[in-house]
């Protein structure tokens, strides 16, 4: 993680020490180090400075007591626990064969975002004409959201269900748009990113065909759902050989798709191509400041001789080296907002050179490299003391942070979010029952929920309707919330180390129960007192 200040060294008094490259608390993966210490002039002069410039913000926390008086001299530590940027991969647990908790947690330990291959397509959710069934998709999405991960819907216009082929053309167009509208209405409050079309601007895959005018279709959806991020996806080429293969311009896209918010390229054509940072920037640069973001949505390679920026055949080391270069470069560019790898294993996807997880659950070197990059090198950890005005300042990557406060040996924890617009976050600190109660954070954080602990009480000071985060769930496969009578309110399959309960079923303070099922051993139930 990072230690130092804005780049290197410490800021002035009252501003946190932040761990940074060159003074890291622990060594990074060798390919992470190799990239950030590269002799390549473009990486050193453009990519790395842009990570600092485009993905970090200044943050200020203001601590007060219950009367609003500033609290000076508090020991403060902030630890980033999630990125605002969308670092993703197709979840390997979409097929039941790999739905075991170890695969799920391996995915969530690195990624905070995913695009599923099948579960949100038209064919999966309207198998019988007129019967739209989102049950499976809803269950998958609930677990995504509870873990804090985001899901991008792939995609509204296809692939077509089998029954579509027998319809007259006019009925095909109506059925397609009816499904798109139904899916948007169903998921509008749960998903932000929607691919409207896929593989029908450049490649024209038959089962993805749009049966009506694409401009009218897209424009109608944009008018109805202006706050959603609607975009398109297609298999654009890293090295176009003709004008017809070139990446479209923002102007072209805005004209053809009114209200478009992003364009996604698959990122796997040619199939074994090593795209250099310079090539990526050349593709992305026209989109800077355009209002249309760029994503890599199906990034992948096949196990064939390498083309492009390298030669030879893929090895474990070369895969790790390329993945680090690709993820870091895309992250650095201001026009991008997401990166999703297609088929990280152990599944049946044909992008087998992408595999980071083996069938037995062991990890390939590329998994360790990406985890080191995303969860270590590109995360911020800082500590310091609040100044005379009760302020503590730091600079960090945008995302969510656990804030721990120590006042004379009494501690408390909350969570805050840092984005481009975050100003000063005011946190009210009071003492109750030997703990610090911190109000003003984005969620209420419960004490770690451990399988090794005896059943006991979790007392959480949550503001009305405020979400509660349960942590320490590394060894759990599922978690449930029960009311005072023992009736089940909500349940989740645990995707990572934490579960976020939005409390949509339980807004009022009171007594609840949290029941966890470990991977090994008996269920653990703890009383939860929401104040």
């Amino acid at each position: 993680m990072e230690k130092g200040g804005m780049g290197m060294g410490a800021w002035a008094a009252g501003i946190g020490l932040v761990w940074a490259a060159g003074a890291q608390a622990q060594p990074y993966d060798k390919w992470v180090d190799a990239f950030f210490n590269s002799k390549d002039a473009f990486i050193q002069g453009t990519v790395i400075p842009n990570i600092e410039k485009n993905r970090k913000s200044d943050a200020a926390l203001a601590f007060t007591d219950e009367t609003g008086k500033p609290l000076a001299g508090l020991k403060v530590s902030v630890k980033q626990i999630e990125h605002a940027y969308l670092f993703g991969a197709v979840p390997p647990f979409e097929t039941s064969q790999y739905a075991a908790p170890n695969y799920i947690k391996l995915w969530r330990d690195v990624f905070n975002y995913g695009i599923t291959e099948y579960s949100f397509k038209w064919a999966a959710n309207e198998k019988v004409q007129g019967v739209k069934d989102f049950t499976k998709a809803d269950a998958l999405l609930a677990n995504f959201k509870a873990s804090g991960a985001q899901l991008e819907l792939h995609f509204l216009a296809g692939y077509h269900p089998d029954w579509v082929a027998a319809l007259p053309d006019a009925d095909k167009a109506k059925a397609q748009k009816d499904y798109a509208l139904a899916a948007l209405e169903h998921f509008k409050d749960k998903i932000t990113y929607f691919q409207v079309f896929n593989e029908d601007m450049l490649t024209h895959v038959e089962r993805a065909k749009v049966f009506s005018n694409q401009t009218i279709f897209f424009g109608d959806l944009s008018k109805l759902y202006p706050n959603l991020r609607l975009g398109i996806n297609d298999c654009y080429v890293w090295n176009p050989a003709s004008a017809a293969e070139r990446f479209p311009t923002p102007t072209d896209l805005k004209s053809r798709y009114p209200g478009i918010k992003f364009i996604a390229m698959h990122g796997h054509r040619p199939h074994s191509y090593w795209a250099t940072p310079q090539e990526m920037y050349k593709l992305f640069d026209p989109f800077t400041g355009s209002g249309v973001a760029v994503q890599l949505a199906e990034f992948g390679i096949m196990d064939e001789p390498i083309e492009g920026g390298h030669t030879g055949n893929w090895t474990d080391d070369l895969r790790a080296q390329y993945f680090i270069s690709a993820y870091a470069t895309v992250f650095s560019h201001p026009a991008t907002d997401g990166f999703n790898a297609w088929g990280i294993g152990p599944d049946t996807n044909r992008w087998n050179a992408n595999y980071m997880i083996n069938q037995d659950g062991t990890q390939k070197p590329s998994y360790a490299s990406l985890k080191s990059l995303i969860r270590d090198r590109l995360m911020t950890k800082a500590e310091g003391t609040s100044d005379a005005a009760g302020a503590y300042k730091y600079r960090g990557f945008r995302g969510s942070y656990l804030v721990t406060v120590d006042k004379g040996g009494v501690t408390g924890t909350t969570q805050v979010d840092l984005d481009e617009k975050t100003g000063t976050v005011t946190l009210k600190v009071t003492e109750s029952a030997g703990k610090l109660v911190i109000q003003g954070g984005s969620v209420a954080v419960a004490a770690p929920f451990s399988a090794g602990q005896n059943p006991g009480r979790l007392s959480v000071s949550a503001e009305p309707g405020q979400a509660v985060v349960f942590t320490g769930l590394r060894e759990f496969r599922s978690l449930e919330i029960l009311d005072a009578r023992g009736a089940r309110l909500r349940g989740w399959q645990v995707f990572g180390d934490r579960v976020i309960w939005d409390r949509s079923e339980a807004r009022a303070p009171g007594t609840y129960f949290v029941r966890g099922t470990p991977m090994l051993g008996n269920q653990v139930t703890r009383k939860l007192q929401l104040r």
Side-chain angles (χ1 to χ4, degrees):
M1 298 201 176
E2 304 198 330
K3 189 171 184 178
M6 278 182 66
M8 304 287 189
W11 288 16
I15 298 178
L17 284 173
V18 182
W19 280 262
Q24 67 260 34
Q26 60 187 43
Y28 303 121
D29 174 86
K30 67 178 181 179
W31 294 118
V32 175
D33 272 338
F35 183 84
F36 283 89
N37 293 319
S38 171
K39 303 298 184 183
D40 184 280
F42 188 82
I43 292 173
Q44 289 298 329
T46 301
V47 175
I48 293 175
N50 275 353
I51 290 176
E52 175 75 25
K53 175 184 175 182
N54 297 323
R55 300 304 174 188
K56 284 187 174 183
S57 291
D58 296 326
L61 305 176
F63 297 96
T64 72
D65 64 14
E66 64 272 18
T67 69
K69 179 182 176 181
L71 292 174
L74 298 177
K75 294 180 181 178
V76 183
S77 69
V78 295
K79 179 182 179 182
Q80 189 174 5
I81 56 173
E82 196 50 83
H83 283 281
Y85 193 84
L86 303 176
F87 285 108
V90 169
F93 44 83
E94 192 178 4
T95 55
S96 59
Q97 181 181 3
Y98 299 110
N102 59 320
Y103 295 116
I104 293 170
K105 287 180 169 60
L106 283 170
W107 175 81
R108 188 62 182 93
D109 278 354
V110 178
F111 305 106
N112 66 349
Y113 156 73
I115 301 173
T116 59
E117 295 184 45
Y118 314 110
S119 298
F120 289 80
K121 287 177 177 172
W122 183 12
N125 297 309
E126 193 178 359
K127 295 178 180 178
V128 176
Q129 185 177 3
V131 181
K132 298 171 180 65
D133 183 0
F134 298 108
T135 304
K136 180 180 177 182
D138 282 338
L140 187 61
L141 179 58
N143 289 322
F144 259 82
K145 290 181 68 65
S147 77
Q150 290 195 54
L151 183 143
E152 181 173 309
L153 191 144
H154 170 77
F155 62 108
L156 292 173
Y159 289 149
H160 316 144
D162 292 340
W163 52 263
V164 169
L167 298 178
D169 286 349
D171 290 347
K172 289 177 182 177
K174 183 179 184 304
Q176 187 175 54
K177 195 165 186 179
D178 284 349
Y179 174 77
L181 289 168
L184 279 166
E185 186 62 24
H186 184 82
F187 293 114
K188 65 181 181 182
D189 297 322
K190 305 169 187 175
I191 297 175
T192 301
Y193 288 83
F194 292 80
Q195 296 176 17
V196 179
F197 308 137
N198 173 46
E199 298 175 329
D200 199 26
M201 183 179 181
L202 175 69
T203 50
H204 304 297
V205 172
E206 183 61 31
R207 56 185 174 165
K209 180 180 179 179
V210 182
F211 297 114
S212 59
N213 181 285
Q214 292 189 18
T215 301
I216 295 173
F217 191 150
F218 198 102
D220 286 347
L221 300 188
S222 293
K223 290 175 185 176
L224 288 169
Y225 299 96
N227 296 323
L228 296 179
R229 295 189 65 81
L230 305 182
I232 68 160
N233 185 24
D234 213 325
C235 198
Y236 295 100
V237 185
W238 285 119
N239 59 340
S242 66
E245 290 184 334
R246 287 177 188 159
F247 208 47
T249 68
T251 301
D252 293 339
L253 290 169
K254 290 177 181 180
S255 175
R256 185 167 181 177
Y257 304 107
I260 188 171
K261 299 295 196 304
F262 71 93
I263 178 171
M265 68 176 290
H266 290 184
H268 57 222
R269 185 178 175 198
H271 291 164
S272 195
Y273 196 84
W274 185 304
T276 66
Q278 291 92 329
E279 286 175 309
M280 291 183 175
Y281 264 67
K282 183 179 179 180
L283 198 72
F284 303 154
D285 278 346
F287 288 84
T288 301
S290 70
V292 180
V294 182
Q295 297 178 353
L296 291 191
E298 302 180 21
F299 177 79
I301 51 175
M302 288 189 181
D303 201 3
E304 301 169 356
I306 302 171
E307 302 177 62
H310 211 283
T311 58
N313 296 309
W314 292 106
T315 64
D316 282 343
D317 277 350
L318 287 178
R319 275 189 285 268
Q321 186 178 349
Y322 178 44
F323 290 176
I324 293 302
S325 175
Y327 269 87
T329 300
V330 174
F331 177 63
S332 76
H333 199 285
T336 72
D337 64 3
F339 188 125
N340 185 76
W342 203 245
I344 64 168
D347 57 15
T348 57
N349 191 287
R350 61 199 177 107
W351 303 101
N352 55 346
N354 269 27
Y355 285 8
M356 304 178 201
I357 304 171
N358 297 309
Q359 287 191 347
D360 61 1
T362 56
Q363 304 150 31
K364 292 183 179 292
S366 54
Y367 177 90
S369 295
L370 273 182
K371 186 175 182 180
S372 177
L373 175 73
I374 296 170
R375 294 294 172 182
D376 191 1
R377 179 61 179 79
L378 299 180
M379 277 193 157
T380 300
K381 183 180 180 182
E383 60 184 20
T385 305
S386 61
D387 63 17
Y392 171 74
K393 300 176 183 178
Y394 64 100
R395 181 171 174 81
F397 289 108
R398 296 173 197 130
S400 297
Y401 287 78
L402 281 182
V403 178
T404 301
V405 178
D406 184 316
K407 182 184 179 184
V410 182
T411 62
T413 302
T414 192
Q415 180 177 313
V416 298
D417 298 324
L418 175 62
D419 61 26
E420 291 178 88
K421 299 178 181 178
T422 301
T424 298
V425 177
T426 299
L427 300 173
K428 184 191 296 184
V429 181
T430 57
E431 190 170 342
S432 176
K435 297 181 181 179
L436 293 184
V437 177
I438 306 174
Q439 295 176 290
S442 55
V443 298
V445 181
F449 191 89
S450 172
Q453 293 175 328
N454 293 323
R457 174 172 293 184
L458 290 171
S459 184
V460 180
S461 294
E463 297 171 38
Q466 187 181 35
V468 175
V469 176
F470 301 101
T471 62
L473 300 174
R474 168 64 31 207
E475 303 303 322
F476 286 80
R477 65 173 65 240
S478 65
L479 196 74
E480 296 175 292
I481 304 293
L482 314 173
D483 66 16
R485 297 172 297 175
R488 184 177 182 271
L489 296 178
R490 181 73 74 89
W492 307 272
Q493 187 174 13
V494 177
F495 269 33
D497 184 57
R498 63 191 60 242
V499 161
I500 303 171
W501 180 30
D502 64 13
R503 290 179 61 197
S504 55
E505 326 82 343
R507 295 291 181 183
T511 300
Y512 300 88
F513 294 91
V514 188
R515 183 166 64 197
T517 302
M519 293 186 212
L520 299 173
N522 299 321
Q523 286 184 335
V524 178
T525 302
R526 300 185 69 187
K527 184 181 287 187
L528 172 66
Q529 191 69 40
L530 285 178
R531 297 182 297 199

